[in-house]
Amino acid sequence: MDCEMLLTDRLAPAFGAVAGGPVDPVVRRSQHADFQSDAALALARRLGRPPREIAAAVRDRADLADLCSSVQVSGPGFLNLTLSDAALAEMVGGLAGDPRLGVPAVARPETVVVDYSAPNVAKEMHVGHLRSTVIGDAVARLLEWSGHRVVRANHLGDWGTPFGMLIEHLVDLGEAEAADDLSMGDLDAFYAAARAKFDADAGFRDRARLRVVALQGGDPDTRRLWRLLVDLSEHYFLTVYDLLDVTLTDRDFRGESSYNDLLPEVVADLDRLGLLRDSAGAACVFPPGSVGRDGEPLPLIVRKSDGGYGYPATDLAAIRQRTGELGATRLVYVVGLPQRRHFEMVFAAAGQAGWLTAPARAEHVGFGSILGADGRMLRSRAGGTVKLQALLDEAVARATELTRTRNPALGAAEAAEVGRAVGIGAIKYADLANDRHRDHVLDWERMLSLDGNTAPYLQYAYSRIRSIFRKAGVTVRPDAPVPLAEPAERALALELLGFAPVVAEVERGLEFHQLAGYLFRLATTFNAFYERCPVLRAEQPVRDGRLLLADLTARVLRQGLELLGIRTPERM
RNA sequence: GCGCCCGUAGCUCAGCGGAUAGAGCAGGGGACUUCUAAUCCCAAGGCCGCAGGUUCGAAUCCUGCCGGGCGCACCA
C-alpha cells in the first residue's frame, strides 16, 4: 500500500464518523506540508458546519499518531499532514527491500491486447507511425510490468488493392532484384515506382487488377510473391523497432490478412443478429449515436457494394477473436485521434453483436499529430513525409556527437552506445512527456538540445548515481537508516514514495506524461540533493543512508524509464 | 451544418473544483582546487482566448461566442 492510500485509509473512518457516511478524504501532495486532505471543505455545506470545525473534528478522531508528526487545520479548512521522520524512514526503508519499489502487482491479472504501430507493407515508416509505436510500447510495458498478460498486436497493413500493382512491379523487376531493393529499406521508392507504372501504363493497370483477383482467390504463386513482399517489409520494420528500442517482435505481426477467413462469418453473424442493413448495395451496421454530414445515422460499412471488405470488418473480426478466442478483457487501440469516431462506431457495433460485453471493454488511446517547429504538419524539406529512420538516425548522430564533446574520456564504442540511448530516448521522451491528446511539436533544436525536461536530464541523474557507486566500489546496505535531517534528504525520501501512486494512476488512464512528470520531479529533487548532500564524504551512518537514497533514486529512475522504453546508460 | 481535440509566461508545456496558477527553454545575475557543471541557486516574467452562469470557492464544471487543428458512407 502506498503512502497516500495509507493516509486515506486512516482518514476515511474519521471523516465517515464526522459526516455520518462514507467520504473520500481527498489526500494529495501539498506545498504547505507533506500531504493535505481537502475533504472538509466540500463537506461544509452538506453538514451545515464550518469547514475548519469539520477538519478539527476529523483531526481529533483520525488514527494518525504513528504516521504523522503534525496534523493541522489550515486555511479555510485544509488538513495539513506532515509525516513523522520515523514513519517516513520506515516507508522508504520498505522500498529498499522491494524489487517492485512499492508498486504492487495487480490483484486480478487480465489479458490485455495492445494494438499499436501498424505500419503498411511496402511503405516506409514515417513520423506518423512514431507516436503509435512509442506510446503503444509504453502501454504494453506498463501493463505487463503491472502483472497483466499483454498481447502485442501489430495490425500490419498487408492487404488491399495496392498489392496488385506491387506484386506486378515485383514480377517486372525480378524477385532477386526486388529483394535487393527492398532489403535496403527503401520501400518508398519501390512503392512509388509501382504507382508510377500503374498511373502511366494501361497494360500494367490491367495486370495489377488481375493480380488482385488472383491474390484474393488464393493463387499459390501470387500468394508466394505477396508473402515475399510482406516478409521483406517485416524484416525492415524489425530493424526500425530494434533501433527504436521497441519490444515488438516478429511474433507480434497480426496482419489484416490474417482476419480474412473470419470476415464472412462476421458478416453472417451480424446478419443473423439482425444488425445488418443494406445501404446502396453495401452491408452496413448503423450503431446508434453517430450521425453524418446530412444528419442521418452513419453507417459502418462491413461489406462494400463491390463485395470486398472494409477495415471495419477486419476490426470487428479482430475484436471477436480477441475477446473470444484470446479471452481478452481489455482492448487498447493506440491510434491517432482522427480515428476516434471510427472506433466509437466499431466498439458500439461490437457491443451490439455481443463481442464486447462486460467485463471486456475497449479503449481508444488517441493522440494528436506531430507538427514541425512552424506549427504545421511535419514535412521534410522536399515537402514529403519525414522518414522515421532518418529522424532516428539524426537524433542518434547528434546525441553521439554531443556525448563525445561532453565526455571525451568515453571510448568510441561507449560513446556510440550512449549516443544511441540519449538520441532515441530524447525522441521517445519528448513524445511521452506531453499530454498525448495534444498535437506534438517536434522541434529538433529543443528536443536535441537535451536540456531541461528531457530524457538526457533523467539519464544524467541516473548515471551520476551509478558513478558514485562505481567510484567508491561500494554496494547499498538496504537496511541502512534513512537520513532525513537535511531538507534535501527529506524531500528526496518523500518523492521516492510517489512512484507507486503515479504508476497506479497511469495504469488507469494511460497518460504517460504523468509518469514522465514524476520522473522529472524525482531527478530534479535528486540533483538538488546531490548538490547539497555529499554522499561519500559523509560520516557514518549518514553515508550509508545517503547511498540508500541515491540507490533508490537510481532504481526508480531506471524502472520508470524502462516503462517508457528509455535506456539508462551507466555512464554519460 | 454536426462531432472531436486544443487555446495557460516571449517559446514548449504541467495543473482540470480548493490556499499566493507551476515547470522547462530563451533572456538577466550568481556557483566548479569538493561523489560527472548534460548540474545547482537567485531574480524577472501571467486580462489562464472572450462573455455569461453554477459554487463558500472556477484555469478547472455548464452555456454561448472567437481562434487553431482534425473528422463526417464503400481508402486503410
Side-chain angles (χ1 to χ4, degrees):
Chain A
M1 172 169 310
D2 69 55
C3 183
E4 291 176 31
M5 283 169 65
L6 199 55
L7 292 168
T8 299
D9 274 14
R10 297 297 187 84
L11 283 166
F15 270 109
V18 171
V23 175
D24 177 0
V26 198
V27 172
R28 62 186 174 98
R29 289 292 297 274
S30 175
Q31 301 171 12
H32 307 277
D34 293 341
F35 295 91
Q36 68 183 58
S37 162
D38 298 351
L41 279 317
L43 235 42
R45 166 168 291 265
R46 217 177 90 196
L47 302 184
R49 295 171 63 186
R52 285 188 62 98
E53 194 182 306
I54 296 170
V58 169
R59 179 199 54 201
D60 294 342
R61 280 172 175 272
D63 174 22
L64 292 167
D66 59 329
L67 292 180
C68 296
S69 57
S70 156
V71 181
Q72 289 186 324
V73 178
S74 171
F78 300 102
L79 265 182
N80 285 354
L81 310 170
T82 304
L83 294 178
S84 71
D85 284 358
L88 181 52
E90 192 190 327
M91 286 190 270
V92 172
L95 250 39
D98 180 2
R100 293 186 60 87
L101 296 159
V103 180
V106 286
R108 300 173 293 105
E110 294 185 272
T111 296
V112 185
V113 175
V114 185
D115 193 311
Y116 68 108
S117 194
N120 293 310
V121 164
K123 281 191 184 170
E124 266 165 80
M125 294 185 72
H126 52 86
V127 289
H129 297 107
L130 181 63
R131 301 204 76 183
S132 174
T133 306
V134 168
I135 297 168
D137 206 49
V139 172
R141 287 166 181 265
L142 176 76
L143 296 181
E144 203 157 61
W145 191 63
S146 297
H148 295 292
R149 176 183 168 233
V150 171
V151 177
R152 292 166 175 75
N154 192 351
H155 201 87
L156 208 60
D158 66 352
W159 203 251
T161 48
F163 283 90
M165 74 180 190
L166 290 167
I167 292 171
E168 279 306 316
H169 182 53
L170 177 78
V171 170
D172 287 358
L173 281 180
E175 288 176 38
E177 178 78 11
D180 269 2
D181 283 11
L182 290 169
S183 62
M184 300 298 286
D186 196 4
L187 307 187
D188 284 354
F190 183 90
Y191 192 96
R195 182 84 227 174
K197 266 198 273 184
F198 187 87
D199 289 340
D201 180 345
F204 183 83
R205 215 151 39 227
D206 289 339
R207 278 160 54 203
R209 292 210 178 92
L210 288 172
R211 193 56 89 168
V212 174
V213 175
L215 180 63
Q216 287 167 345
D219 170 60
D221 196 48
T222 302
R223 291 296 286 237
R224 189 183 59 77
L225 293 166
W226 167 78
R227 190 64 234 175
L228 185 61
L229 277 176
V230 174
D231 286 344
L232 289 164
S233 298
E234 287 183 350
H235 177 78
Y236 155 75
F237 298 143
L238 289 171
T239 63
V240 177
Y241 293 149
D242 184 55
L243 177 57
L244 238 194
D245 281 330
V246 159
T247 58
L248 285 167
T249 69
D250 58 346
R251 295 184 303 280
D252 303 318
F253 289 118
R254 301 289 147 88
E256 290 168 346
S257 64
S258 62
Y259 298 99
N260 283 348
D261 295 345
L262 303 172
L263 301 182
E265 276 177 54
V266 165
V267 174
D269 280 358
L270 291 171
D271 198 21
R272 190 163 49 243
L273 291 162
L275 294 169
L276 227 47
R277 262 169 48 198
D278 180 275
S279 177
C284 305
V285 180
F286 289 84
S290 296
V291 292
R293 198 189 300 277
D294 50 11
E296 295 300 307
L298 207 53
L300 191 64
I301 297 173
V302 180
R303 192 180 54 217
K304 300 185 285 184
S305 55
D306 67 1
Y309 297 98
Y311 75 125
T314 315
D315 281 336
L316 285 171
I319 290 175
R320 202 180 72 144
Q321 191 261 343
R322 289 167 185 181
T323 57
E325 208 175 307
L326 276 177
T329 47
R330 189 177 183 183
L331 307 181
V332 180
Y333 291 82
V334 188
V335 181
L337 241 15
Q339 302 223 36
R340 184 179 170 122
R341 173 125 75 176
H342 165 72
F343 283 112
E344 269 172 20
M345 293 175 68
V346 169
F347 297 162
Q352 285 183 296
W355 301 328
L356 192 58
T357 52
R361 72 276 183 206
E363 54 198 302
H364 175 207
V365 174
F367 50 83
S369 310
I370 293 190
L371 308 179
D374 58 359
R376 310 184 55 176
M377 295 281 278
L378 190 65
R379 297 277 164 204
S380 66
R381 282 185 200 83
T385 55
V386 176
K387 295 179 181 186
L388 186 51
Q389 179 104 46
L391 183 85
L392 302 182
D393 286 344
E394 179 156 358
V396 171
R398 289 196 193 210
T400 302
E401 181 54 32
L402 187 78
T403 301
R404 268 202 282 263
T405 53
R406 293 282 163 145
N407 192 349
L410 292 181
E414 190 170 3
E417 202 180 305
V418 171
R420 182 183 152 178
V422 168
I424 297 297
I427 287 190
K428 296 173 92 169
Y429 188 85
D431 194 322
L432 293 165
N434 283 351
D435 181 342
R436 59 182 159 80
H437 298 98
R438 302 172 65 115
D439 289 345
H440 171 218
V441 176
L442 197 150
D443 182 338
W444 281 99
E445 292 311 315
R446 188 178 331 105
M447 194 175 61
L448 293 172
S449 74
L450 317 178
D451 280 321
N453 185 8
T454 61
Y457 180 86
L458 306 185
Q459 290 167 321
Y460 180 63
Y462 176 82
S463 73
R464 275 179 137 182
I465 298 170
R466 301 303 305 150
S467 168
I468 295 173
F469 285 93
R470 195 169 47 243
K471 190 137 291 184
V474 293
T475 51
V476 221
R477 277 189 45 220
D479 58 342
V482 178
L484 298 169
E486 290 293 325
E489 293 169 335
R490 201 168 192 290
L492 184 56
L494 209 49
E495 206 57 55
L496 286 165
L497 295 178
F499 188 50
V502 83
V503 169
E505 185 61 30
V506 175
E507 204 188 316
R508 263 192 296 281
L510 303 179
E511 308 265 3
F512 286 90
H513 71 285
Q514 295 172 330
L515 177 54
Y518 166 76
L519 294 174
F520 179 62
R521 242 175 301 138
L522 178 63
T524 302
T525 308
F526 171 78
N527 278 329
F529 162 86
Y530 183 92
E531 292 287 328
R532 294 180 187 83
C533 303
V535 176
L536 296 177
R537 287 183 290 109
E539 300 291 327
Q540 292 292 20
V542 174
R543 179 180 140 123
D544 277 349
R546 288 181 178 170
L547 281 169
L548 179 71
L549 285 175
D551 181 64
L552 270 174
T553 304
R555 286 170 57 198
V556 171
L557 285 173
R558 185 175 57 208
Q559 182 61 53
L561 286 171
E562 189 179 314
L563 293 176
L564 298 179
I566 295 169
R567 292 190 186 194
T568 40
E570 292 294 301
R571 283 198 279 193
M572 281 177 73

